[in-house]
Amino acid sequence: MLFAATAAVLALASAASAQIPLTYTKLADERKSGRMVFLQMTPEQKNTVLTNAETLLTYTWVNYESKLRNYPDHAADPFPVLKKLRANIKTITDEELQLGLTDAFVQIRDLHTRFFKTGPYRCFAATNGLSFELVEGLADIVNSPKVVVSAKSTVPALVALTGDDYARVNIGDELVSIDGKSFAKWFEENQYISGDGANTFGGHRRAIDFLGYVPGSVNRLPTKDSITFQFRDNTKAYGKVYTVTLPYIAARNDFCWPAMSALYNKLTNTTLPGTPNTAKFAPAKLSPEMTAFRAKFIEKNPLAVAPGFDEDKEIRASIFGEAGANPLQLNSTSASSVKWGIWDPKGRNLGVIQLTDFEPVDPNGAAAPQLPITVIRDLATHELKDTNAIVFDIRDNGGGYISMANNLPQLFRAEPFNPFGAWYLRNNVTFNLFAKGKPATDPWRIAYEQSQPGDRYTHIALFNPVATANTVGQAYVRPVAVLNNGRCYSACDMFSANIQDSATGTIFGEDGQTGAGGANILDLPALITSDPADFVNMPFVNNLTVQTPTGPIVYANRLSVGIRQSVRNGRNMGRLIEDLGIKADYIVRARRADIMPGAKVNSQFDRIADRLAQIGAKTGQSSLHFVAEPLTTEATAGNAGFDAEIGGFDDISLYKADGVTKISSVDVSGTANTRKKIRISTGAVRSGLGTGTVRIVGTKNGKVYLKTARTIRVVPSDADRFNLASGDFVLGDVSKSTGVYNAAGTAAADGFNRVNGTWRFGDGTSYKENTDSSIEMFFTAPPNVSLSVTANMYIDTEPGYDFVYLTTKYSDGATIDSLKHNTTSGKVLPGFADKNRTIVGTISIPTRTGKFSVIVRATSDEAVVFSGVKVNALTISIDNSASFSRRSSTLAMSSVFSGLGIEPAEAAFVPIRGNTLPISAKAPSDSSTLAKAAPAPSRDSTLAKAAPAPSRGSTLAIS
């Protein structure tokens, strides 16, 4: 179930796509000004910083052995540096500690395991105004990579500082040397200080970034005032080699600077030049409740992402502008990170889905890990359904939610997808993090307990079960591929591995391997929440939390760690991602013409489309076509069916939900070389109301290329709907007008069931994970009259995650949610969740249309020790009294989630433990939006329409 968390809540360790204002000066002048200094810490504070780093690397960093195996002579071993810092901790200066830890964490070449220094030094980055790219050149791309200028800053304040040589450099010019050394030689000497990218290809990508941009947050800034390049002119004087010396320009982050300079003044009584009026700066409040919420959210939605990636991306965008002109214009979707287009020169007809990251938000700014599944399925079955193939463009993707990487492959394969798992170090610290106090069913606790004392690693566990990675099924039958590069990290690595290991598609790479970030991460706020015995807050966190337009950013010392290491399966069983990455099946580097401003060509997409056409012709997939929308259809008792577009299959057969019992074969005659629209009859899929599943299997030349399913909702005929004009409705057992509807993947035993005269979700002690179940009651009544709905329900579900909904759905598609709450940001979110609450009361709703249904729905995301939901009583009747106009259509709830207030917008029924009392609304002080949104509607769903709201007023409480 999706959770609507604002970007502000999740931005505690990143810039969260904030527009970062920058001030430019020469780096040499910044050094002279005295601004590039460090906060003054007490001995105790220095010890806190070092101890956190030591504990993190010693007991939680899962990639240490991989670093020893893959880099010679302990070159990526941080412990000698840590040992030296510890030996001198009593006399060490602030600068020595901060830069020493910086060196230790950069040299390990692990973008998950990072140390963010404090400032004011941390507020600065260095640039020379140039951005570089790797392009096609000699065959030996390891030892002789071709590097060209891909962008130049046009920011006037920056360009004015660069000097005359800057104008001589042209986009497309080839890099010959750096301070007299070839790129390969320069990289060999600087690979452990030039941006910490794993393996040669990830290292190359980080190195070319480092040549033009050095962030002071995680790197040492250049000690020299300038850098000298030799270029080979590829424009006016083709082939001529020329030399330029460019000054380093300091780019000061003006979100960071006011906080840092104000605190420096407070600690030292020294005002740094350019310190703003401290009266204008007030630290953002980072409540313990918000931090706890964030830790819980990340626990439920594990991340694999390079920390600081967003901040660097935004600063680079401020310096260099957005990506260069793309001849393929991409279309946005409701998921922030998903864009699409069709590349069709010479009829290539290649569908392109760009994933900019694996951390999507919905149009309301809410975190939406599962939304791309719906969005991409819709693209595959609508806008891209007639394409010859689809490629996922995930270049420069820094990662995000592991569940998104695991849930996408199902859309492009016939057989169920099996995600790979991870292990972690086995010791007392990780016991506190992953096993202590966790439910006995928690997979990470089980992994710990199945391993033995003395084992270095635990057993392997899955981030999400196989069932949750296969909830939707196949949507596309023609070839699919991935285009990645050495800047593809974390969840991007994992998605590439998923496609390759399961033989779902082809991997095209700009580089020989991806960036090789093969672990789930946790950062210090989350580590402290889970294990306060071993980790403590860094100094100055409360002073250096800065409110930005998109949420708070922490500029104090921060730590993150790669803590659970991915172990691949399928074709690469047992292989790690860390340091090794995902090997490309085909290398397709950009050509110089592709990156030039105003380019009208994209040779990479041309080559990918041509190769996929060859693959499709060889496998027979190019001729296949199957589209049957929507995913869910409604039918009355008796025969059901759906329409489909079919082409190229020798046989398509229907099976019952068990996948074994055959229902019938579809007549595919005349579709071998053309596509036809066919009506597929399923017969009766079930007796009585509820959901039935039909499985569809398609073969060509004896091989299965299609396995998918469609859900049939059996609903009553008009005659079988309960007619409220004839009397009051009292919820009882299932009947001709009442049924239970379970979502795909929810077993009947795990959804709503009638037990001893009460409807229950759960067994009274707990409920199952990843369930979605509804009781739906179907009615007829005269239109535009009022109804009284009286409910008595008991709710004991995980606050903020497992919700109960009471919804009226009309035949015209409009809906009214009667269990909802207003957040303090003004958003109205449906549903309610809390511990040990009773909801008792009467509401009024308009009939609006003559046919409608009332739905009680419960959802869960994982198994927990809450007892579930009981619907003790529900009655519905036509309300002929004049009180309708004064009664609310909403049971507004007052809830507290980990101390964060979510208050009602009006006086209404408020469930109180053991009692039900009216309460007046009041706005809580915290402005966070912390509540779970209903799933975003798919294309085959009906969007909720606003219904006329009755006037607000008093509501009768029933104890």
Side-chain angles (χ1 to χ4, degrees):
M1 189 64 189
L2 304 183
F3 193 96
T6 59
V9 174
L10 297 180
L12 304 184
S14 75
S17 298
Q19 294 299 309
I20 299 176
L22 301 176
T23 297
Y24 299 99
T25 53
K26 285 190 175 181
L27 185 62
D29 292 338
E30 281 297 346
R31 288 199 197 92
K32 294 174 184 176
S33 74
R35 284 188 284 257
M36 292 172 54
V37 291
F38 294 90
L39 294 178
Q40 190 176 87
M41 292 187 181
T42 66
E44 292 77 14
Q45 289 172 326
K46 292 176 186 176
N47 185 64
T48 293
V49 173
L50 182 56
T51 300
N52 274 334
E54 290 170 328
T55 303
L56 178 133
L57 288 174
T58 304
Y59 297 104
T60 69
W61 183 38
V62 73
N63 293 327
Y64 179 55
E65 289 187 338
S66 177
K67 303 302 174 182
L68 297 183
R69 283 195 303 270
N70 287 286
Y71 304 102
D73 303 322
H74 286 251
D77 186 351
F79 289 104
V81 176
L82 291 185
K83 185 177 180 180
K84 183 178 179 181
L85 293 174
R86 174 53 66 189
N88 297 305
I89 189 64
K90 292 183 179 180
T91 59
I92 200 168
T93 67
D94 295 297
E95 179 176 358
E96 289 169 340
L97 176 63
Q98 296 289 321
L99 294 182
L101 285 172
T102 295
D103 294 341
F105 278 80
V106 168
Q107 79 177 78
I108 66 177
R109 301 180 68 163
D110 185 342
L111 285 176
H112 288 143
T113 306
R114 310 195 84 180
F115 171 74
F116 291 78
K117 65 177 71 67
T118 187
Y121 187 104
R122 184 252 191 271
C123 301
F124 294 90
T127 181
N128 48 50
L130 300 183
S131 183
F132 298 88
E133 187 55 89
L134 294 163
V135 298
E136 189 175 68
L138 297 177
D140 186 358
I141 61 176
V142 173
N143 297 304
S144 301
K146 186 174 182 178
V147 182
V148 299
V149 178
S150 59
K152 292 178 64 179
S153 178
T154 58
V155 177
L158 188 155
V159 174
L161 299 169
T162 55
D164 295 338
D165 274 358
Y166 188 71
R168 299 175 60 195
V169 182
N170 307 298
I171 294 177
D173 285 356
E174 180 182 352
L175 178 66
V176 176
S177 70
I178 308 139
D179 290 332
K181 300 171 183 175
S182 69
F183 174 78
K185 182 65 175 177
W186 180 90
F187 174 72
E188 180 185 347
E189 295 179 1
N190 292 278
Q191 60 183 308
Y192 297 99
I193 64 172
S194 62
D196 60 352
N199 72 47
T200 297
F201 295 105
H204 280 178
R205 292 285 171 179
R206 295 293 293 180
I208 63 172
D209 291 344
F210 189 85
L211 287 176
Y213 166 77
V214 183
S217 57
V218 293
N219 288 97
R220 282 182 182 252
L221 293 170
T223 57
K224 299 192 302 181
D225 295 339
S226 62
I227 187 168
T228 298
F229 296 115
Q230 273 193 326
F231 292 108
R232 179 173 289 109
D233 193 311
N234 277 320
T235 55
K236 298 175 183 178
Y238 186 80
K240 181 180 179 181
V241 175
Y242 64 94
T243 301
V244 296
T245 298
L246 303 177
Y248 277 114
I249 310 302
R252 189 183 72 198
N253 179 339
D254 287 335
F255 282 150
C256 174
W257 173 250
M260 287 292 188
S261 57
L263 183 57
Y264 187 87
N265 174 264
K266 181 178 179 180
L267 295 172
T268 65
N269 200 31
T270 299
T271 302
L272 297 173
T275 299
N277 186 346
T278 55
K280 296 180 180 179
F281 173 73
K285 292 182 178 180
L286 193 61
S287 68
E289 293 81 13
M290 183 184 293
T291 303
F293 160 72
R294 179 178 178 274
K296 187 68 172 178
F297 184 88
I298 292 173
E299 178 185 335
K300 288 176 171 289
N301 299 275
L303 285 166
V305 64
F309 182 82
D310 284 341
E311 183 177 351
D312 278 353
K313 186 176 179 181
E314 289 300 326
I315 293 176
R316 286 182 61 87
S318 296
I319 294 171
F320 300 109
E322 298 299 329
N326 189 336
L328 176 60
Q329 297 302 308
L330 296 173
N331 305 283
S332 298
T333 69
S334 59
S336 62
S337 55
V338 181
K339 297 180 180 180
W340 68 276
I342 298 176
W343 181 249
D344 199 27
K346 299 182 180 180
R348 284 185 167 93
N349 195 20
L350 175 68
V352 179
I353 299 176
Q354 183 189 68
L355 303 180
T356 55
D357 58 59
F358 283 79
E359 289 187 274
V361 298
D362 67 17
N364 294 318
Q370 306 308 323
L371 178 58
I373 309 303
T374 300
V375 169
I376 292 171
R377 186 189 182 280
D378 284 346
L379 291 174
T381 56
H382 292 83
E383 288 85 354
L384 303 181
K385 71 182 180 70
D386 295 317
T387 54
N388 295 335
I390 288 176
V391 62
F392 280 90
D393 184 353
I394 54 175
R395 292 172 294 177
D396 303 341
N397 184 313
Y401 297 112
I402 295 173
S403 61
M404 178 176 163
N406 285 344
N407 292 344
L408 284 176
Q410 63 177 304
L411 300 174
F412 301 95
R413 53 182 289 105
E415 299 300 332
F417 172 68
N418 293 300
F420 54 78
W423 55 29
Y424 58 95
L425 297 180
R426 191 186 198 279
N427 53 57
N428 290 338
V429 174
T430 57
F431 172 81
N432 291 339
L433 289 168
F434 295 117
K436 184 179 180 180
K438 304 296 184 184
T441 56
D442 185 288
W444 302 104
R445 173 179 167 178
I446 293 171
Y448 189 97
E449 293 174 344
Q450 287 178 339
S451 58
Q452 300 299 314
D455 289 350
R456 179 157 179 81
Y457 300 99
T458 65
H459 280 210
I460 292 174
L462 298 180
F463 286 106
N464 52 316
V466 173
T468 65
N470 294 280
T471 56
V472 178
Q474 191 174 9
Y476 191 81
V477 293
R478 287 183 292 286
V480 68
V482 164
L483 172 60
N484 58 34
N485 63 8
R487 291 194 193 96
C488 170
Y489 305 120
S490 311
C492 182
D493 281 296
M494 294 178 184
F495 177 63
S496 300
N498 285 336
I499 295 296
Q500 186 175 77
D501 295 347
S502 63
T504 297
T506 305
I507 305 299
F508 294 91
E510 289 188 324
D511 302 306
Q513 296 157 278
T514 56
N520 154 240
I521 72 158
L522 287 179
D523 61 11
L524 197 59
L527 291 168
I528 295 169
T529 302
S530 300
D531 184 12
D534 294 304
F535 297 97
V536 296
N537 265 324
M538 289 292 201
F540 311 127
V541 167
N542 292 330
N543 304 87
L544 295 175
T545 301
V546 178
Q547 188 63 45
T548 74
T550 55
I553 303 176
V554 177
Y555 289 113
N557 282 135
R558 298 204 316 268
L559 287 167
S560 65
V561 63
I563 196 166
R564 287 178 284 197
Q565 188 177 68
S566 297
V567 183
R568 298 171 69 177
N569 62 10
R571 286 180 167 182
N572 291 282
M573 178 71 71
R575 184 178 174 89
L576 300 183
I577 292 176
E578 187 66 31
D579 296 308
L580 303 178
I582 287 74
K583 186 177 179 180
D585 298 318
Y586 302 95
I587 295 176
V588 286
R589 281 210 163 155
R591 293 169 180 160
R592 193 177 69 88
D594 297 330
I595 69 165
M596 297 302 291
K600 301 298 182 184
V601 296
N602 189 313
S603 70
Q604 292 171 289
F605 287 160
D606 286 346
R607 285 175 277 166
I608 290 170
D610 293 346
R611 177 63 67 177
L612 290 177
Q614 295 171 9
I615 292 171
K618 182 178 180 179
T619 63
Q621 285 178 274
S622 291
S623 64
L624 300 181
H625 186 75
F626 183 87
V627 177
E629 294 299 293
L631 190 60
T632 300
T633 59
E634 287 192 349
T636 56
N639 287 339
F642 50 88
D643 296 320
E645 298 175 19
I646 296 175
F649 287 95
D650 298 333
D651 178 79
I652 291 182
S653 298
L654 303 185
Y655 293 83
K656 290 187 177 181
D658 60 13
V660 176
T661 307
K662 187 172 180 177
I663 298 173
S664 63
S665 291
V666 177
D667 181 6
V668 296
S669 58
T671 66
N673 299 306
T674 188
R675 299 172 185 175
K676 290 176 61 176
K677 291 185 177 181
I678 297 175
R679 179 67 181 177
I680 298 177
S681 176
T682 65
V685 296
R686 60 171 292 126
S687 60
L689 306 186
T691 49
T693 300
V694 176
R695 304 202 179 276
I696 307 159
V697 179
T699 60
K700 183 179 179 67
N701 298 327
K703 183 176 179 179
V704 175
Y705 285 102
L706 170 69
K707 276 189 179 181
T708 188
R710 293 297 177 268
T711 298
I712 310 294
R713 280 174 39 92
V714 179
V715 299
S717 64
D718 290 352
D720 287 334
R721 288 173 174 261
F722 190 95
N723 184 0
L724 287 169
S726 65
D728 297 350
F729 171 85
V730 178
L731 177 62
D733 293 329
V734 293
S735 65
K736 291 182 178 181
S737 63
T738 301
V740 175
Y741 295 83
N742 294 318
T746 298
D750 299 334
F752 273 110
N753 285 281
R754 184 85 164 162
V755 180
N756 298 326
T758 299
W759 281 100
R760 289 187 177 181
F761 176 80
D763 60 9
T765 302
S766 64
Y767 48 84
K768 294 295 180 66
E769 72 277 5
N770 302 302
T771 51
D772 187 337
S773 183
S774 300
I775 309 167
E776 188 162 2
M777 300 146 275
F778 297 85
F779 300 99
T780 59
N784 300 316
V785 300
S786 61
L787 300 177
S788 290
V789 179
T790 300
N792 183 320
M793 292 189 289
Y794 173 77
I795 297 175
D796 186 35
T797 60
E798 185 175 18
Y801 291 95
D802 301 337
F803 275 72
V804 182
Y805 304 85
L806 178 60
T807 304
T808 304
K809 183 173 71 175
Y810 300 96
S811 59
D812 64 359
T815 60
I816 290 179
D817 285 297
S818 296
L819 279 177
K820 59 184 180 181
H821 56 269
N822 285 2
T823 68
T824 55
S825 66
K827 296 178 182 177
V828 178
L829 297 173
F832 180 74
D834 207 351
K835 306 173 186 177
N836 188 26
R837 291 292 184 109
T838 299
I839 298 175
V840 183
T842 299
I843 57 172
S844 287
I845 56 174
T847 55
R848 187 182 170 93
T849 59
K851 293 188 294 184
F852 59 94
S853 61
V854 176
I855 305 164
V856 178
R857 178 184 173 211
T859 64
S860 71
D861 66 343
E862 62 183 22
V864 291
V865 289
F866 297 93
S867 62
V869 180
K870 289 193 295 184
V871 182
N872 297 314
L874 185 70
T875 62
I876 303 173
S877 61
I878 294 177
D879 185 354
N880 295 311
S881 71
S883 65
F884 167 68
S885 63
R886 300 191 304 272
R887 185 177 291 149
S888 172
S889 61
T890 303
L891 287 171
M893 303 301 155
S894 173
S895 167
V896 175
F897 174 64
S898 296
L900 287 168
I902 302 174
E903 296 289 347
E906 59 178 317
F909 293 105
V910 180
I912 304 296
R913 291 175 179 81
N915 299 283
T916 303
L917 302 171
I919 189 171
S920 296
K922 62 179 180 179
S925 58
D926 196 288
S927 60
S928 303
T929 302
L930 297 174
K932 191 174 185 178
S938 61
R939 189 184 308 273
D940 57 4
S941 302
T942 304
L943 292 174
K945 301 175 183 176
S951 301
R952 294 174 175 175
S954 60
T955 312
L956 176 64
I958 302 174
S959 298

